[in-house]
Amino acid sequence: MDDVNQGDFFLTINTYHDAKRQVEAVKQLAQQNVDGIVVMTGQITNEMTTVLQQVSVPVVVQGQPSRHFETVNVDNQHAGELLVPLIANVKPTDVLLLGVDPTSDYNVGQTRFNAIIQALDNNMQRLYTTFDRTETAEIMRNYLETHSSPKYIIAATDTIALGALAALQEQHIAVPANTKIVAFDNTPAAEIVTPGLSTVSFDYFALGQWLYHRLKDLSQAEPVLTDPLLRGELVRRSSW
């Protein structure tokens, strides 16, 4: 957003994935007479929708689809479709979907997995965790105490995948020889970790540019409800 900034001043409020904090943040921004609001969130609750509809400035939502507001998102459905060829010849019971509860983030927790679930007839294992790498590692450790290591792990984010990788390596489970891992986002850590993490890459720099342009467009014209989706590409590394 800074790269395409046309002289605006950005005020950032971190709400730590807390829906109530997000609502309060929007209220605070509205009171400060900002020119527009970008909401980057895992969920648009009914309360959030009501508060945003009362705001008199342009609003753009990133992270979730919306019937009420302009949105700019990565194409999570297409990202999942990119992974389907990787599982074409595997047994569904050998696959572990490792992600967050869809009620906390539907796009990351469900949409990214939709194509995979459809391809494997929903017969794979599923384990919920958080966006925190350390917590994911602990959840994976507990899982391995009562389950054999899955042959394939599809993680909702790179950070989640790295937590799982740490737990597997502690148990001397070789990746990719015994367990293959693939994820989404292509964060810098995905390239430098050993083994390198296969992941779907999104151009988040371009996404930020889109967000700013969309917000500026809304301040100059009548809004047209559309949902531009930024597609990703699969980056193959040695974890799969």
Side-chain angles (χ1 to χ4, degrees), residues 187-202:
T187 56
E191 185 174 4
I192 63 175
V193 71
T194 302
L197 182 62
S198 293
T199 181
V200 176
S201 177
F202 299 111

Side-chain angles (χ1 to χ4, degrees), residues 7-235:
D8 292 312
F9 174 78
F10 295 140
L11 176 62
T12 303
I13 300 179
N14 193 338
T15 56
Y16 305 97
H17 302 286
D18 188 310
K20 291 184 178 179
R21 285 192 179 192
Q22 291 174 9
V23 170
E24 292 304 314
V26 171
K27 292 179 179 178
Q28 291 177 26
L29 291 171
Q31 293 173 357
Q32 296 181 40
N33 298 317
V34 296
D35 294 324
I37 298 176
V38 174
V39 180
M40 308 177 76
T41 181
Q43 55 181 317
I44 298 291
T45 62
N46 291 334
E47 185 179 8
M48 172 65 86
T49 298
T50 299
V51 171
L52 287 175
Q53 288 176 328
Q54 296 172 350
V55 172
S56 59
V57 298
V59 172
V60 178
V61 173
Q62 192 278 316
Q64 298 298 312
S66 174
R67 296 182 292 105
H68 303 285
F69 310 105
E70 291 277 353
T71 61
V72 175
N73 291 308
V74 297
D75 193 337
N76 289 287
Q77 177 66 33
H78 175 257
E81 292 169 358
L82 292 175
L83 302 187
V84 171
L86 299 183
I87 57 173
N89 299 311
V90 308
K91 294 180 180 179
T93 52
D94 290 337
V95 177
L96 173 66
L97 297 184
L98 183 60
V100 297
D101 189 329
T103 60
S104 66
D105 190 322
Y106 191 81
N107 258 352
V108 172
Q110 184 64 39
T111 307
R112 289 186 174 182
F113 293 143
N114 279 343
I116 299 158
I117 292 171
Q118 183 176 2
L120 295 180
D121 296 324
N122 202 25
N123 290 323
M124 74 290 294
Q125 306 170 75
R126 191 159 185 171
L127 181 64
Y128 290 145
T129 180
T130 71
F131 288 104
D132 184 82
R133 180 183 60 83
T134 302
E135 291 183 16
T136 297
E138 181 62 23
I139 288 171
M140 194 68 197
R141 289 188 199 101
N142 294 337
Y143 175 86
L144 292 173
E145 289 180 358
T146 56
H147 297 76
S148 58
S149 175
K151 294 182 179 179
Y152 309 93
I153 295 177
I154 301 176
T157 71
D158 288 353
T159 302
I160 289 173
L162 295 178
L165 177 63
L168 291 169
Q169 291 177 333
E170 289 173 7
Q171 298 296 319
H172 306 289
I173 299 170
V175 177
N178 300 117
T179 300
K180 292 180 170 60
I181 304 178
V182 66
F184 300 83
D185 288 335
N186 197 29
T187 56
E191 185 174 4
I192 63 175
V193 71
T194 302
L197 182 62
S198 293
T199 181
V200 176
S201 177
F202 299 111
D203 190 343
Y204 284 112
F205 193 88
L207 185 74
Q209 294 175 317
W210 281 25
L211 279 168
Y212 183 78
H213 285 309
R214 177 52 57 90
L215 193 67
K216 298 298 287 186
D217 288 344
L218 290 178
S219 66
Q220 300 170 9
E222 287 294 322
V224 178
L225 289 178
T226 57
D227 192 353
L229 295 175
L230 185 68
R231 288 198 161 192
E233 61 179 0
L234 177 61
V235 178

